[in-house]
């Protein structure tokens, strides 16, 4: 797992799963609090992404965005 910060954005990349699969997870918390989850599959080169916005931006699931921000905060402190 790698943690980087750029201008208020936190990027946690290269999160590998527990079952030895090649796919990796990336969590991005943007400066405005929005969170992006992406899964990269090296076998086919595809990336799947979901973005969860803050309630300020009309977020559909504010509880998910809040919990993802909490998760990112915990990972950064680890």
């Amino acid at each position: 797992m790698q943690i980087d910060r750029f201008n208020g954005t936190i990027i946690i990349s290269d999160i590998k799963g527990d079952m030895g699969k090649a796919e990796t997870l990336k969590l991005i918390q943007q400066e405005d609090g929005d969170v992006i989850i992406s899964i990269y599959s090296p076998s086919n080169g595809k990336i799947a992404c979901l973005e969860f916005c803050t309630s300020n931006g009309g977020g559909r699931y504010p509880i998910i965005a809040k919990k993802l921000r909490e998760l990112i905060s915990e990972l950064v402190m680890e």
Side-chain angles (χ1 to χ4, degrees):
M1 179 169 57
Q2 181 176 332
I3 300 171
D4 296 298
R5 295 173 190 253
F6 298 102
N7 300 325
T9 296
I10 300 168
I11 301 170
I12 304 175
S13 57
D14 201 30
I15 303 169
K16 294 177 173 67
D18 292 336
M19 300 302 291
K21 303 260 183 183
E23 289 76 16
T24 58
L25 177 71
K26 181 186 285 186
L27 297 170
I28 300 170
Q29 181 176 325
Q30 298 174 331
E31 189 174 2
D32 64 359
D34 291 0
V35 178
I36 300 168
I37 298 174
S38 65
I39 298 174
Y40 172 69
S41 175
S43 63
N44 61 19
K46 292 188 179 178
I47 298 174
C49 295
L50 286 174
E51 183 168 357
F52 294 92
C53 299
T54 63
S55 56
N56 297 339
R60 188 176 298 163
Y61 301 105
I63 188 69
I64 294 174
K66 178 183 177 205
K67 294 300 181 183
L68 288 170
R69 284 191 300 275
E70 289 173 10
L71 172 63
I72 289 168
S73 178
E74 290 287 327
L75 290 171
V76 167
M77 287 191 294
E78 210 175 70

